[in-house]
Structures are given as C-alpha cells and as structure tokens.
Amino acid sequence: MESSAFLFPGQGSQSVGMLSDYLEAFPLVKTLFSEASDLLHYDLWKLVSEDQDKLNQTAYTQPALLVADVAIWRVYCE
C-alpha cells in the first residue's frame, strides 16, 4: 500500500503576493479567499497582496496561511 504525506508551511513563510500566480490560474483560489474574507469581515486577499506589516501579525498570518494551504490542497485535488 502506497502512502503520501503533505506538509504545508507555517508562520514565517508568509509573504506579500503569495499565491498570486495561483489566483490567476485557478478560480477556486479567488473563491476561497472571498469566502474567508466574508467570514473575517476584511479583505484577506488585499491584505495578502499589499500589507506586509499586517500579514506578519499572528492574528492575520494564521487565517492567511490556512486559506492559502486549503487553496493549494483543493487545487491539487482537482
């Protein structure tokens, strides 16, 4: 039986513009960031795209990385 493991980066790996190439190539990424933004009551994609200072704050880093990781996983599963 073959098995696989997937590791996702944690806090410290965030950077402005992360997943920008995925956003254009996979509409699902935009959808996930939009859904997260609605729940968080702020524009998560704008933060990830433009605001390194906020992105480095744990309260913003954790949701950004979670959504990024879920997006990558979902794209992989398609």
Side-chain angles (χ1 to χ4, degrees):
M1 182 166 131
E2 188 175 319
S3 60
S4 299
F6 296 88
L7 300 175
F8 294 98
Q11 192 159 342
S13 63
Q14 72 278 5
S15 64
V16 166
M18 64 183 188
L19 289 186
S20 59
D21 52 341
Y22 275 66
L23 186 76
E24 294 176 17
F26 304 99
L28 172 64
V29 174
K30 185 175 185 176
T31 300
L32 291 172
F33 271 88
S34 179
E35 290 173 358
S37 295
D38 290 345
L39 292 169
L40 294 167
H41 304 290
Y42 61 85
D43 188 338
L44 184 59
W45 184 255
K46 183 175 180 178
L47 184 143
V48 167
S49 300
E50 300 175 6
D51 196 338
Q52 186 69 52
D53 289 334
K54 273 192 175 179
L55 187 56
N56 286 337
Q57 296 174 28
T58 298
Y60 297 101
T61 305
Q62 293 300 317
L65 287 175
L66 175 62
V67 174
D69 292 346
V70 168
I72 291 168
W73 174 253
R74 297 272 308 271
V75 165
Y76 174 79
C77 290
E78 284 189 342

